[in-house]
Amino acid sequence: MTRFLRNQGWVAGLFALFVLLFVLTKLIQPGYGSGDFGSLVRAVLPYAFAVAAQTVVVIAGGIDLSVAAMMALTSVTAASMMNGASEEYALFVVPFVLAMGLVLGALNGILIVVTRVPDIVVTLATLFVLQGAALLVLGAPGGAAADWLKASIVGTLPIPGLPDNIDAWVPKALVLLVVCLCIIWIPLRRSKLGLSIYAIGSSELAAFRSGVPVARTRIIAYALSGLFAAMGGLALTMSTGIGAPIPGPYLLASVAAVVLGGVALGGGKGGLLGPIVAVFVLRLVRTDLTLLAIDPNVTAIIEGAIMVAVVMFGAFITIRGRPAGAMP
Amino acid sequence: MTSSATMPQPVSFGRRVKRFMADRPLVPLIILLVILVVILQILRPGIVNERWLANTVKFAIPLAILAGCQTMTMLTGGIDLSVGTVATMSAFIMATQIVNQDPAVAFLLAMMPAVLIGLINGIGVGVFRVHPLIMTLGTSLIGTGCLQVYQRTVIASGAKIPDFLNWLGTGLTYGFPNALLLFVPLAVLIVFTLRRTGFGRLLYAVGDNERAARLSGVRYWQVITALYVISSLLAGITGLLYIGLIKAPSLSLAEPLVLPSVAAAVIGGTSIFGGRGGYTGTIIGALILTVLTTLLTILQMPEGARRILFGLIVLFVTAAYLRIVEER
Amino acid sequence: EGKYTIGISNTVQGNGWREEMICAMKAQALASGEVTKLNIAHRNTDAAGQLEDIRNLISAKVNAIVVNPADPAGIKAGLEEATKAGIVVVAVDQAVTEPSAYIISNNQEQYAYLGAKWLFQQMGGKGEVVYMRGAAGASADSDRDKGFKKALAEFPDVKVAQEVFTGWQQDQGKQQILSFLATGAPFNGIWTSGIDNVIVDALVESQAPLVPVVGADNAGFVGQLSSVKGLVGAAVTNPGSIGGAGVTLALQILNGKKPAQQTVLVEPQLWENATEEGKAKLKAAADPSLSPEWPVSISIPDWTTYTKEQIVACKGPGE
Amino acid sequence: MPENPLLDATGVAKNYGAVAALRNASLSVLPGEVHALMGANGAGKSTLVKILTGAIHADAGRVLIRGETRDIRSPAAARRAGLLPVYQEPSLIPDLDVLSNLRLTGTPVEPFRAWVRELGIPDLDLRDTARDIPLAVLRVLDLARALAVEPDVLLLDEMTAALPANLAEKVLEVVRRQGDSGRSVIFISHRFVEISALCDRATVLRDGETVGVVDIVPGVEEKIVELMLGARIVKTQMTARPAGQAASTATSRPRLGVRNLCVGTKLQDVSFDLANGEVVGVVALEGQGQDELFAALAGSIRPSGGSIEVDGQPVKFTHPSDAIRAGIAYVPGDRTEALAMQRSVHENIALPFSAALRKWGPIRVHKERTVVASAIARLQIDTRAQGEVQRLSGGNQQKVTIARWIAANARTILCFDATRGIDVGTKQEIYKLLRELAGLDKSVLFYTSELEEVQRVCDRVIVIFGGHVVDIFPVEEADEPALMRAAYGLPRGVTADVGILADPTSKPSTPEAVP
Ligand SMILES: Nc1ncnc2c1ncn2[C@@H]1O[C@H](COP(=O)(O)OP(=O)(O)OP(=O)(O)O)[C@@H](O)[C@H]1O
Ligand SMILES: Nc1ncnc2c1ncn2[C@@H]1O[C@H](COP(=O)(O)OP(=O)(O)OP(=O)(O)O)[C@@H](O)[C@H]1O
Ligand SMILES: [Mg+2]
Ligand SMILES: [Mg+2]
């Protein structure tokens, strides 16, 4: 029970931090409004999907270094397929790219299971392979995206019955993010498969002995990671309108947000909400740094310090919160 | 109890070879290395000459030392992503301070950030229990920021590579790179530390089962703090060696070595989860990666294809190595 | 006194050229006396990250944004929003596709063409060239590739012996050239995309023949062109101080002085050490006091007004 | 045999590299039978269970279930075939709560709840995370989970080893009822009392080979021991400790003094002394505060009140190393807590030598090797798989945890259920060892869940109930019924039926049940 509270407490704390930062942002820039919030969400989008991709495998006790490369590959694939094609063609491109992510992710999992090479090495290798493939698809940034796709993350979603001034705070990008994550995560979390993913992350041996098909579960976890990464790739193409073969800074960011979000890197613990809130926090910190016009060289120092401080603080309260006499 | 270990049936030659290699995991790694070199020689006849060997060794040494940092931290279940930044910092500070300072003073100044970052890493990981990945990532961000601020203050004074480092980094004696004079004792020291000192034993024990180590009287924070300081010092020394080799101080000098250093340690058989591995394998791992880079450079292929090949070979090498070493 | 806030967005950090660009922007903003505050977003990221930065700058309500685009097309949406918000947008170093933005740029295609052409002439119009590119997939690299290919087409007897991507990283460039040297394959010239001084070092260290080398105007390489005996080479200017020019252009537009065209190209120059005249130029340009990664052309006539002390101090208004 | 066996395995073999864990094992279980699987540590019992339940694959051998050949490739397949194991190590997923663990294995919740209650844990919260649940309870939950799906064959690997007497008793009752209701149980235990109280037949393994199948009749124990140990025959019945020795220690200054020790709400106002040359037993039911007592004495947790004195000097332990420096070593009950599983036996034993900062330098290899080797010899650790401790059998792992402190020559050893899962032969050795240590003027605090051990090794017994010391016995009075009563918090001298082991009429073939 206390553990349950503690876990949710972490997410709640993060959320409080986000609200605090938001108030701070308002103080720095009184004009910060719904439009700016929309910008924030659009900036969050690729990071959020990268983090979701990382979260699934981390919970399953692994790590996926190929997330950013996978995003690059899916992004260039989408962009080059849509280049010069009709608007309707994009209707086919989107599912195709998602399926591609799923399959390539599953391939990651299969390689890990079959070769028995540590996941960190396998995904490091696939990082290079996917990057290479991205370069073969597009040698330089380019391609295009269907207009309706680009439009689908711009502006707000008019919700009938909601007053306009509240509606303005519901950007389409946020709706898209929530829908995409929930559609996969909520059923997963409730299913036995979801439990199995947590189980293999917590203790592979115990999971195996409990009858969990460990190999299959691991492959599925990586496939889901690939799917989320493909969503991230699409989000990149949607926001920039192009595909870029060089991966952005999403790998380290995803790992950082996963840890900030309360997911143990050993596996088996945490959820998706924490990391997503963590992404919002990190992006908002960046906004504030820009708004404050802080010396750019100092921003790196600040970002690093914040990351370390938050995790240190988390560790600190966990040590304090540990009930006395929990040993041996 | 009684000796029942003897297997009655005669063991086939294949199994004997396998057993032999499993007992000496270095042998298959070396064989893999030789295979790569042979492939190189076939693709470009004549390339494997004295000069090439010297160059390969020269470039493998900095990688191998950084991979030593990873090996030691990985034994405790950690990782040190700040080595790139630390190496860059000491290199840059050395190159800029040598202009106006006594070499000894410049050296001390150059090693200062290494000690500091190592200490912060160690305290963060050992006392506050921040995950090493986040901790070292954070300090490396902070370090990069500091370096940029520092860079601005010294930009007018220019930079110079001390002759000694030049000699150490690029010089040859009887065809052997001078860097070996630094590396061989260092490698022996690391191997000795891991195998034959109390500290080395504690690294394994802490990484394997921290609670068991604690019950045996080991103070975790002491071990971890010492470890990260040592790791940072090694990284600092690598930076000095590397600047002697590259001769161009830049703000991202050693960053590209970070991921390969992790890869070298893992290819060399060190477990990322702690408790298992050693340094000799890592050295071969670093050589393998260096030869592989050369191999791919001289292949006339599109960059994309080259990266794909690199990834596949890394995966294959590790998988083959595991197959050979793994008994059962 | 100053009346404007200028936002700056840059997506490569820890690279001498970009550092100089930022310092030029700061120095020019200070020297102009018209800028109250610079708002600089400067980090390693991609086009999507730059969009984020641009939108943050819009939120910060700056008067103008000077941007070194991560990708010309990828940030179109952000630039459009900025213009709509009444912000003057100036792209430096590389072009952008947003029509409302002003561009003041080094001509990357010309940069490569100029150097490659000179190199091929030095090689006598035939032979093998080592082609050391930048980062695979970067737009500046693909622009330069166009220029290089254009020159190559003019010299049908020149062959590419080896084409590699240095990733604009010194250590990779050095390792690659050393690997190539070890193969013993013949070559008659080296074209680099700015990773130049380590290449000369490698040639000297391994006692390989000193073939003509083309690089950028980085302080280190410019110094080598004068100091390394027997080295024939050329530095093509690619001034990082273009950032200062971008600030000047932005201020001109804010003050109502719009340029005739949306795009202002700064044409690269070539300084070679094969002729006496070129040697003199090099000597004048050389500046050993600069960090070897910094381009020596720290100012652009007509566009920048700061002094060397100012750019080296790297202080913006209000610092 | 009239009936057809439910489960019939023959010629099972399994090699781990050069180690032959099983060479030629066979096992045949009849319907409705409780069948004991016996053997010394490392004989291959656990390995056989793992093979039968698909957790590992045999190199050779044939398994028939109800006369049909079945190739059981995974635990899930074993489940479908009606074989359910409770392994030697808990197999609940540590980070999931109990409910999720049930869902994962498709175990019906209500029967599970009923079994848990029946097994003596009335107040389990299904939302508790497995990691937070004490080892003994976890074992019971494992069993309840297996029972809830009504398996044909239940395989219990040292199920009772980690359980305190009250829980063990419940388990035995339940197991016996399983047999009565026509289901079979394969029961692994090193405790003869349990075997004779429960089982119909026993298969004995030695060095990976089935060396005999015997019916359990009174007096068969000698035969089983003979089969188990082969050449290594040990006299099982050891006389109770000579009385009177304990009294002599009271005069000297106590080695360890505990004064009004409190730990949170778990341990209250505990005071006792431990003299040099004395072995003091601690007896308690599960969760009465004994864990906290040992952890506090070992420096693992900080007491919230009271004081600890060593050689008359008050001490404050902030870390186990403080206790170790004061010569107090702690052997935890859970060996996964004490061992670096991927490291060698040697390194595990030598670990304390390097712990202190001043011992971080070069290791004196030769000296160390002699010390470690003698500790290994002393505890008769089976070193065939010594490269990694995790490959040792459970009992041998347990021995390593003790050997470490014998090698380090600790003056006081806190043994928390140290003989759990150790075969009879070695157990005798350990009793002897502890007495020898006492003879060398060292002192031992000895918590045990096996009450009969108390009289064999201890000089005095402390009984803890509800966090208080409720009684301190001299050894002569500490027979099992008396201890059991005290452990339940009953005053001395009152007779009450406290379960299967104390009830001589429950089964005629339990000569050891009542001493
Ligand atoms: N993974 C492994 N690798 C190598 N050897 C192993 C492995 N697992 C078990 N063994 C060896 O197989 C033998 C039998 O082990 P097993 O666990 O079956 O014994 P056991 O009869 O259950 O003993 P205990 O009573 O001590 O639990 C032991 O010698 C052990 O060291
Ligand atoms: N490296 C080693 N190899 C073998 N045995 C060792 C080693 N280190 C310690 N021992 C043994 O472990 C025991 C405890 O040693 P330790 O030095 O920890 O004792 P101590 O309490 O510090 O004693 P002292 O007060 O004499 O220093 C001794 O019997 C010693 O011989
Ligand atoms: Mg066993
Ligand atoms: Mg001593």
Side-chain angles (χ1 to χ4, degrees):
Chain A
M1 199 63 210
T2 49
R3 176 172 294 273
F4 177 79
L5 268 182
R6 213 186 304 149
N7 278 349
Q8 294 313 104
W10 184 243
V11 178
L14 269 180
F15 196 77
L17 185 62
F18 176 72
V19 172
L20 205 75
L21 275 172
F22 197 85
V23 172
L24 186 74
T25 315
K26 261 300 209 196
L27 288 180
I28 300 168
Q29 183 73 27
Y32 192 87
S34 56
D36 303 300
F37 179 67
S39 300
L40 177 73
V41 179
R42 271 185 285 173
V44 159
L45 215 53
Y47 286 96
F49 285 121
V51 155
Q54 195 66 264
T55 303
V56 181
V57 286
V58 169
I59 287 177
I63 191 151
D64 189 351
L65 299 187
S66 69
V67 167
M70 179 84 82
M71 285 168 71
L73 176 60
T74 46
S75 166
V76 290
T77 308
S80 61
M81 282 174 83
M82 285 190 276
N83 198 7
S86 69
E87 289 281 294
E88 295 74 46
Y89 187 62
L91 281 175
F92 162 75
V93 172
V94 171
F96 174 81
V97 167
L98 292 180
M100 184 172 129
L102 196 75
V103 170
L104 289 176
L107 202 65
N108 255 341
I110 292 172
L111 283 175
I112 290 167
V113 167
V114 172
T115 61
R116 277 180 283 143
V117 172
D119 41 22
I120 193 158
V121 184
V122 172
T123 53
L124 184 69
T126 44
L127 175 150
F128 286 106
V129 173
L130 296 177
Q131 244 180 37
L135 276 172
L136 290 184
V137 174
L138 270 185
D147 289 331
W148 65 267
L149 262 183
K150 285 194 268 183
S152 65
I153 57 164
V154 180
T156 60
L157 193 73
I159 299 171
L162 214 60
D164 272 359
N165 52 350
I166 295 185
D167 210 37
W169 289 91
V170 188
K172 276 190 207 163
L174 185 63
V175 177
L176 183 80
L177 176 65
V178 171
V179 167
C180 285
L181 294 182
C182 289
I183 252 179
I184 297 171
W185 186 253
I186 291 180
L188 179 70
R189 193 67 213 253
R190 311 210 153 173
S191 69
K192 201 165 149 183
L193 173 66
L195 271 183
S196 304
I197 288 178
Y198 277 85
I200 62 170
S202 181
S203 161
E204 196 179 322
L205 182 66
F208 173 66
R209 288 182 175 176
S210 298
V212 174
V214 176
R216 197 191 329 152
T217 309
R218 172 150 303 135
I219 292 171
I220 293 176
Y222 276 91
L224 285 175
S225 163
L227 179 65
F228 280 128
M231 289 180 181
L234 280 175
L236 281 178
T237 302
M238 279 151 84
S239 65
T240 61
I242 55 154
I246 300 184
Y250 302 104
L251 171 59
L252 287 180
S254 73
V255 178
V258 161
V259 178
L260 269 184
V263 177
L265 276 178
K269 273 184 243 171
L272 186 56
L273 187 61
I276 298 291
V277 179
V279 169
F280 272 89
V281 167
L282 289 176
R283 288 348 295 156
L284 197 54
V285 166
R286 163 109 317 248
T287 301
D288 288 345
L289 289 176
T290 311
L291 292 181
L292 284 171
I294 301 219
D295 181 320
N297 294 317
V298 179
T299 55
I301 304 178
I302 294 177
E303 278 183 324
I306 286 179
M307 214 162 76
V308 169
V310 169
V311 179
M312 258 193 198
F313 176 74
F316 182 69
I317 57 172
T318 334
I319 294 172
R320 289 284 303 271
R322 192 174 293 155
M327 295 280 294
Chain B
M1 247 128 273
T2 45
S3 62
S4 57
T6 44
M7 302 245 304
Q9 67 270 56
V11 187
S12 75
F13 178 71
R15 266 199 79 77
R16 275 222 305 274
V17 170
K18 227 184 133 186
R19 176 92 39 89
F20 173 83
M21 299 231 234
D23 291 343
R24 294 165 195 75
L26 226 50
V27 175
L29 265 187
I30 292 174
I31 293 178
L32 287 170
L33 176 63
V34 171
I35 292 177
L36 282 178
V37 174
V38 169
I39 294 178
L40 190 64
Q41 173 71 10
I42 292 172
L43 289 176
R44 275 288 170 102
I47 183 172
V48 182
N49 53 27
E50 207 175 294
R51 201 157 63 173
W52 177 83
L53 276 176
N55 278 336
T56 306
V57 169
K58 262 194 263 177
F59 277 92
I61 285 175
L63 181 61
I65 306 180
L66 288 191
C69 303
Q70 305 300 356
T71 306
M72 288 198 283
T73 44
M74 274 160 62
L75 285 179
T76 65
I79 193 164
D80 191 348
L81 294 184
S82 66
V83 288
T85 302
V86 170
T88 307
M89 285 177 95
S90 17
F92 197 86
I93 293 175
M94 186 70 180
T96 46
Q97 288 299 327
I98 195 79
V99 180
N100 302 321
Q101 302 276 7
D102 188 67
V105 177
F107 174 77
L108 288 181
L109 285 174
M111 295 313 277
M112 233 171 44
V115 175
L116 210 63
I117 288 186
L119 207 59
I120 297 175
N121 281 339
I123 291 173
V125 176
V127 178
F128 290 93
R129 305 299 178 118
V130 179
H131 194 284
L133 205 135
I134 292 292
M135 192 66 217
T136 55
L137 193 61
T139 47
S140 106
L141 271 181
I142 296 173
T144 308
C146 293
L147 186 59
Q148 273 164 355
V149 173
Y150 168 80
Q151 181 249 178
R152 250 171 27 200
T153 67
V154 296
I155 197 74
S157 60
K160 187 180 133 216
I161 315 299
D163 293 337
F164 173 69
L165 291 184
N166 225 327
W167 176 84
L168 195 63
T170 52
L172 296 178
T173 310
Y174 304 118
F176 289 98
N178 294 338
L180 283 173
L181 287 177
L182 175 70
F183 180 69
V184 171
L186 213 56
V188 169
L189 189 68
I190 295 178
V191 172
F192 180 81
T193 303
L194 290 183
R195 290 206 187 149
R196 284 275 190 273
T197 67
F199 178 66
R201 177 167 292 167
L202 295 189
L203 293 185
Y204 286 98
V206 157
D208 191 317
N209 187 345
E210 189 203 318
R211 296 213 293 176
R214 187 178 134 91
L215 285 182
S216 301
V218 180
R219 287 183 191 262
Y220 180 74
W221 71 270
Q222 290 179 344
V223 179
I224 293 297
T225 309
L227 166 69
Y228 281 90
V229 170
I230 291 175
S231 169
S232 257
L233 277 174
L234 282 178
I237 291 172
T238 313
L240 299 187
L241 184 65
Y242 205 47
I243 188 76
L245 175 58
I246 303 298
K247 296 200 219 153
S250 98
L251 296 182
S252 54
L253 180 73
E255 296 296 346
L257 291 183
V258 177
L259 272 189
S261 74
V262 177
V266 178
I267 290 176
T270 299
S271 160
I272 193 115
F273 301 111
R276 207 195 275 263
Y279 188 52
T280 39
T282 302
I283 299 175
I284 313 284
L287 277 169
I288 287 183
L289 281 183
T290 313
V291 173
L292 199 53
T293 315
T294 312
L295 182 63
L296 291 174
T297 304
I298 63 149
L299 278 182
Q300 286 294 358
M301 286 186 161
E303 178 68 11
R306 248 185 286 205
R307 288 198 195 176
I308 293 180
L309 208 60
F310 181 82
L312 291 179
I313 294 177
V314 166
L315 186 61
F316 173 79
V317 165
T318 323
Y321 175 55
L322 278 185
R323 282 291 165 291
I324 296 168
V325 172
E326 227 172 43
E327 274 236 339
R328 237 164 280 181
Chain C
E1 20 142 326
K3 33 192 176 176
Y4 300 119
T5 310
I6 293 184
I8 286 163
S9 167
N10 173 44
T11 58
V12 179
Q13 204 177 19
N15 163 304
W17 193 94
R18 298 281 182 132
E19 296 300 327
E20 182 184 287
M21 179 189 82
I22 297 282
C23 288
M25 288 168 164
K26 287 181 166 185
Q28 184 57 33
L30 186 66
S32 73
E34 292 187 276
V35 182
T36 1
K37 193 172 84 174
L38 279 182
N39 211 334
I40 306 176
H42 170 51
R43 58 172 172 144
N44 278 318
T45 188
D46 61 347
Q50 188 158 40
L51 276 175
E52 176 187 2
D53 286 343
I54 290 171
R55 290 184 175 129
N56 283 338
L57 290 174
I58 299 175
S59 298
K61 308 224 178 319
V62 294
N63 301 104
I65 295 178
V66 182
V67 50
N68 186 338
D71 177 77
I75 57 168
K76 184 166 185 289
L79 298 185
E80 198 180 323
E81 285 163 38
T83 314
K84 281 217 187 92
I87 297 171
V88 171
V89 178
V90 173
V92 296
D93 187 27
Q94 305 175 64
V96 290
T97 56
E98 167 57 29
S100 66
Y102 295 87
I103 299 161
I104 179 161
S105 160
N106 298 326
N107 190 336
Q108 300 295 1
E109 191 176 330
Q110 186 63 15
Y111 167 93
Y113 177 73
L114 209 62
K117 194 171 157 190
W118 178 86
L119 178 66
F120 300 157
Q121 280 163 351
Q122 286 296 313
M123 289 162 56
K126 59 179 196 303
E128 309 270 334
V129 64
V130 179
Y131 180 28
M132 307 200 71
R133 301 179 59 172
S139 65
D141 180 76
S142 54
D143 285 347
R144 288 182 181 184
D145 186 48
K146 276 184 217 138
F148 184 85
K149 293 276 158 65
K150 193 168 124 195
L152 199 61
E154 292 173 15
F155 293 86
D157 291 336
V158 175
K159 297 276 171 300
V160 175
Q162 177 83 6
E163 175 177 343
V164 288
F165 289 88
T166 59
W168 279 310
Q169 272 157 2
Q170 317 263 19
D171 61 327
Q172 275 196 32
K174 185 155 189 183
Q175 193 175 349
Q176 285 161 347
I177 192 69
L178 286 175
S179 302
F180 176 75
L181 290 177
T183 65
F187 62 106
N188 311 90
I190 302 175
W191 185 92
T192 74
S193 189
I195 295 301
D196 36 28
N197 48 345
V198 289
I199 304 299
V200 176
D201 274 340
L203 292 180
V204 173
E205 271 163 32
S206 46
Q207 286 149 13
L210 277 177
V211 296
V213 179
V214 170
D217 58 340
N218 302 327
F221 184 59
V222 169
Q224 282 175 333
L225 284 180
S226 313
S227 65
V228 176
K229 255 182 73 182
L231 173 68
V232 178
V236 185
T237 59
N238 179 34
S241 40
I242 192 79
V247 170
T248 305
L249 179 62
L251 287 173
Q252 283 176 1
I253 298 166
L254 283 173
N255 291 330
K257 238 174 64 191
K258 295 202 170 145
Q261 281 124 12
Q262 292 285 104
T263 304
V264 183
L265 279 185
V266 176
E267 289 303 322
Q269 296 176 20
L270 184 130
W271 307 329
E272 34 76 35
N273 67 358
T275 63
E276 284 310 316
E277 187 198 347
K279 275 190 187 143
K281 266 197 205 158
L282 274 169
K283 218 175 219 103
D287 191 348
S289 74
L290 284 178
S291 156
E293 266 209 304
W294 269 40
V296 287
S297 32
I298 50 173
S299 61
I300 301 178
D302 305 335
W303 284 105
T304 60
T305 55
Y306 50 76
T307 61
K308 179 179 170 193
E309 285 69 40
Q310 277 176 316
I311 185 174
V312 164
C314 198
K315 289 231 184 309
E319 272 184 52
Chain D
M1 240 169 275
E3 280 176 286
N4 282 327
L6 191 52
L7 175 76
D8 188 28
T10 41
V12 181
K14 172 79 190 171
N15 290 318
Y16 288 109
V19 180
L22 284 179
R23 288 186 296 176
N24 180 17
S26 55
L27 175 67
S28 170
V29 183
L30 301 174
E33 182 186 35
V34 180
H35 192 110
L37 188 55
M38 303 202 66
N41 292 134
K45 304 176 295 294
S46 299
T47 308
L48 184 56
V49 167
K50 286 177 196 157
I51 287 172
L52 291 176
T53 53
I56 55 177
H57 300 295
D59 298 338
R62 193 179 52 124
V63 180
L64 299 179
I65 296 172
R66 292 197 190 76
E68 286 170 46
T69 331
R70 291 290 284 266
D71 187 18
I72 292 173
R73 308 212 119 261
S74 72
R79 237 169 153 41
R80 284 192 293 274
L83 264 58
L84 246 84
V86 176
Y87 295 112
Q88 203 165 358
E89 308 81 25
S91 56
L92 259 62
I93 311 292
D95 290 307
L96 293 183
D97 58 15
V98 178
L99 202 59
S100 304
N101 266 295
L102 295 181
R103 269 190 49 199
L104 196 64
T105 45
T107 311
V109 177
E110 273 322 308
F112 171 82
R113 237 194 260 271
W115 280 116
V116 171
R117 242 174 276 129
E118 187 134 338
L119 285 165
I121 300 173
D123 52 353
L124 178 77
D125 184 349
L126 291 186
R127 288 266 158 215
D128 275 349
T129 309
R131 195 184 285 287
D132 299 338
I133 298 175
L135 178 68
V137 180
L138 275 183
R139 307 279 297 142
V140 173
L141 297 187
D142 249 346
L143 174 61
R145 190 169 63 158
L147 287 167
V149 295
E150 308 191 342
D152 295 339
V153 184
L154 189 62
L155 301 96
L156 304 181
D157 193 352
E158 301 199 21
M159 176 65 221
T160 51
L163 299 188
N166 57 330
L167 289 178
E169 216 178 286
K170 290 267 170 45
V171 169
L172 297 181
E173 262 170 38
V174 166
V175 168
R176 193 165 58 189
R177 263 192 284 129
Q178 283 284 304
D180 296 344
S181 66
R183 286 189 246 280
S184 310
V185 180
I186 296 172
F187 188 81
I188 299 178
S189 170
H190 290 290
R191 300 179 184 170
F192 279 102
V193 204
E194 296 173 356
I195 302 290
S196 46
L198 206 63
C199 301
D200 306 310
R201 290 193 303 154
T203 293
V204 182
L205 286 178
R206 184 172 70 230
D207 295 338
E209 216 162 340
T210 296
V211 289
V213 181
V214 295
D215 289 330
I216 304 290
V217 291
V220 77
E221 288 86 354
E222 288 296 340
K223 171 119 191 280
I224 293 179
V225 170
E226 210 170 291
L227 284 171
M228 263 170 55
L229 301 181
R232 213 188 102 211
I233 296 181
V234 182
K235 185 154 167 26
T236 43
Q237 292 293 335
M238 195 170 131
T239 44
R241 297 242 327 102
Q245 196 171 315
S248 66
T249 54
T251 49
S252 63
R253 191 178 58 173
R255 160 79 177 135
L256 187 66
V258 178
R259 306 274 168 269
N260 312 99
L261 195 69
C262 300
V263 178
T265 55
K266 295 284 186 60
L267 198 65
Q268 276 138 26
D269 207 19
V270 166
S271 304
F272 65 89
D273 283 336
L274 176 64
N276 282 315
E278 190 183 31
V279 180
V280 169
V282 174
V283 165
L285 304 177
E286 172 64 19
Q288 302 302 313
Q290 67 270 40
D291 301 13
E292 286 74 15
L293 172 64
F294 275 70
L297 292 179
S300 245
I301 58 175
R302 279 182 221 190
S304 51
S307 62
I308 301 171
E309 288 168 12
V310 175
D311 297 328
Q313 301 295 317
V315 288
K316 283 246 180 304
F317 296 151
T318 57
H319 187 275
S321 65
D322 296 337
I324 291 166
R325 195 158 337 119
I328 300 175
Y330 171 50
V331 180
D334 180 1
R335 53 183 170 260
T336 57
E337 202 180 309
L339 296 176
M341 287 291 176
Q342 300 174 55
R343 306 311 301 167
S344 67
V345 171
H346 180 104
E347 271 183 49
N348 268 285
I349 293 177
L351 186 53
F353 298 157
S354 316
L357 197 55
R358 69 198 154 81
K359 301 284 185 64
W360 282 10
I363 293 168
R364 275 176 293 168
V365 181
H366 185 70
K367 180 183 168 204
E368 186 181 280
R369 201 174 293 146
T370 7
V371 173
V372 169
S374 82
I376 289 179
R378 195 131 184 210
L379 279 126
Q380 305 185 12
I381 298 173
D382 174 359
T383 51
R384 280 179 299 162
Q386 62 173 318
E388 285 180 25
V389 164
Q390 63 185 351
R391 298 189 177 159
L392 294 186
S393 73
N396 279 301
Q397 290 177 0
Q398 191 71 35
K399 291 185 214 166
V400 175
T401 64
I402 305 173
R404 169 184 294 165
W405 297 115
I406 303 298
N409 205 9
R411 278 185 61 196
T412 301
I413 298 186
L414 312 171
C415 269
F416 197 93
D417 225 2
T419 51
R420 162 193 304 178
I422 288 186
D423 69 56
V424 266
T426 315
K427 246 181 207 169
Q428 303 294 343
E429 292 294 327
I430 288 181
Y431 301 150
K432 219 170 83 198
L433 181 73
L434 293 181
R435 290 315 315 173
E436 274 171 28
L437 291 178
L440 293 170
D441 222 26
K442 307 207 176 303
S443 50
V444 179
L445 193 64
F446 184 72
Y447 167 78
T448 175
S449 52
E450 289 179 52
L451 298 182
E452 57 144 20
E453 287 189 338
V454 167
Q455 284 195 315
R456 301 200 167 166
V457 272
C458 301
D459 299 306
R460 283 188 301 148
V461 195
I462 299 170
V463 183
I464 300 180
F465 180 74
H468 295 274
V469 173
V470 289
D471 211 340
I472 299 187
F473 283 84
V475 70
E476 311 84 70
E477 296 169 28
D479 59 9
E480 281 181 63
L483 286 175
M484 187 68 93
R485 275 191 294 276
Y488 274 97
L490 301 172
R492 249 191 258 190
V494 179
T495 33
D497 173 24
V498 286
I500 185 171
L501 295 181
D503 179 2
T505 57
S506 67
K507 193 133 195 181
S509 59
T510 52
E512 284 191 359
V514 177

